[in-house]
Amino acid sequence: MPTTDQSVDDPIDAPIDAAVHRHVEDVVSTYLAERRAELPELARTFAKAVDHLSDFALRGGKRLRPTFAWWGWRAAGGDADGPEARAVLRAVSALELIQTCALVHDDIMDASELRRGQPTVHVRFTEAHRAGGWLGEPERFGTAAAILLGDLALAWADDLFESAPLTPEMRDAARGPWQAMRAEMFAGQYLDVLAQAEGDESEERALGVARLKTAAYTVERPLHMGIAFAGADQATVDAVRTFGTDIGVAFQLRDDVLGVYGAPEVTGKPAGDDLREGKRTLLVALGLAYAERDGRHSDAAMLRGALGDQNLPQVTIERVRDLLVEVGAVAELERRIDALTTSAMTALTGAGLAEPGVTRLADLAVAATRRDR
């Protein structure tokens, strides 16, 4: 994904097309600072907590969602300059606060200690409670603070979207995908925790989670928003949503691989974190099915036992990694990523979109499915 080495505080001289990532960061940084300044005097202590939210939102991240939305706007004929472009940039930047909400809450549910190489929000507040010698349970305080800040990110995402100076027609066109995206994101998150609770090992459930939890709000709906701003017709919407769904699922499948094989210094999360969290990903579902198919019942039992083990040793992680390769689960996942990427590109090229948007969307698709973090 496009990035630069500029600080968030530096002025941006490049056109939006040349530095979407940085322009989004500038909008989000300015907006969060404005909202913090609005807090009443009695909420000064809360303002310090908001600083943690701002730091989390602006530290790292690929800005993938607003970038897809921006290039959807451009590919559907949206102008790169002028007041409409600035209004669209502000509206799509709200997607970063949706992402912030999702990550803060996801880390709580998964009991994750690291995100982007730094302590997660709930861990930060747990440590602050412990260091201060405050009353009550540190972990409970950390969880409560992070839930509130995640909720705040969601509320401010809506506020940022609504504050964009869009025409009434543009706002009405994008409100549908905006609202659908939020509901789909939460539905996918619930299916994820339900699958872990039920121990659901089915491929169908894993794909359902990937479709709702990741594909819809990472690629499909942001793209839908972007082309809606530009007044795309229904045929274009259908083609672009197909592209977005396929690339979004492929993105999640790549994430499944990284959750087991990714290097901590690159991903910013501990090795084998998905296993410790008990994630019933498609990679795991295929590994279990293929191990049972091959009569490797003890290996399947080892894999089941590894899921959700918070104290999983490195030696077991290595055994799981070897097993998933040996039974063909990794190869099958790579095959599906390639197939989804191919079908997505077919939908994109047949959507009748404009350059440079088509090329940029294709580049984003490749970057999303072949990344290492």
Side-chain angles (χ1 to χ4, degrees), residues 85-373:
R86 286 288 165 181
V88 168
L89 176 68
R90 185 173 180 86
V92 303
S93 294
L95 291 163
E96 273 305 296
L97 293 180
I98 292 282
Q99 167 73 341
T100 298
C101 164
L103 293 181
V104 170
H105 287 171
D106 193 53
D107 287 339
I108 295 169
M109 288 182 277
D110 292 340
S112 296
E113 295 185 356
L114 292 176
R115 170 73 67 176
R116 299 168 180 166
Q118 298 291 327
T120 51
V121 173
H122 67 279
V123 169
R124 288 191 188 193
F125 283 92
T126 297
E127 292 173 347
H129 183 289
R130 189 172 287 120
W134 300 339
L135 301 177
E137 301 172 9
E139 291 78 10
R140 186 170 182 178
F141 173 80
T143 296
I147 289 172
L148 291 170
L149 289 174
D151 290 348
L152 182 67
L154 179 61
W156 281 358
D158 273 329
D159 292 348
L160 180 55
F161 174 79
E162 293 294 338
S163 73
L166 301 161
T167 65
E169 294 78 15
M170 293 171 72
R171 191 182 310 283
D172 288 345
R175 186 172 282 118
W178 172 260
Q179 293 175 343
M181 174 197 62
R182 292 175 303 167
E184 289 161 351
M185 178 185 76
F186 289 122
Q189 189 68 272
Y190 176 74
L191 286 179
D192 190 19
V193 297
L194 181 64
Q196 294 179 56
E198 293 180 336
D200 193 326
E201 299 174 358
S202 68
E203 180 179 331
E204 180 182 10
R205 174 62 65 84
L207 283 171
V209 171
R211 167 69 177 79
L212 286 174
K213 184 182 175 184
T214 301
Y217 102 99
T218 299
V219 186
E220 178 196 349
R221 294 301 187 182
L223 269 174
H224 189 180
M225 284 177 59
I227 65 172
F229 286 135
D233 60 25
Q234 191 58 50
T236 303
V237 169
D238 291 343
V240 169
R241 287 187 64 189
T242 296
F243 166 78
T245 298
D246 287 353
I247 287 299
V249 173
F251 176 89
Q252 180 57 57
L253 299 189
R254 175 61 61 209
D255 209 49
D256 293 350
V257 175
L258 293 174
V260 176
Y261 295 93
E265 61 272 18
V266 177
T267 64
K269 300 185 73 174
D273 213 32
D274 277 5
L275 299 174
R276 293 189 181 91
E277 292 168 6
K279 296 284 187 184
R280 261 62 182 181
T281 64
L282 182 61
L283 179 61
V284 167
L286 293 173
L288 289 168
Y290 291 177
E292 296 286 8
R293 175 202 64 191
D294 295 344
R296 300 178 61 162
H297 306 301
S298 61
D299 287 332
M302 180 270 296
L303 175 52
R304 288 190 183 93
L307 295 173
D309 182 354
Q310 294 294 318
N311 300 310
L312 194 64
Q314 185 63 34
V315 64
T316 305
I317 292 174
E318 294 300 331
R319 287 177 61 199
V320 169
R321 287 172 169 171
D322 291 344
L323 171 66
L324 294 174
V325 171
E326 290 165 6
V327 299
V330 174
E332 173 61 14
L333 214 66
E334 293 291 349
R335 186 195 69 77
R336 295 196 189 196
I337 290 171
D338 288 344
L340 285 165
T341 303
T342 298
S343 63
M345 294 303 188
T346 299
L348 178 64
T349 56
L353 298 172
E355 292 290 0
V358 175
T359 297
R360 293 300 183 90
L361 288 174
D363 290 344
L364 282 170
V366 171
T369 56
R370 297 181 182 176
R371 72 195 197 283
D372 59 3
R373 61 185 178 90

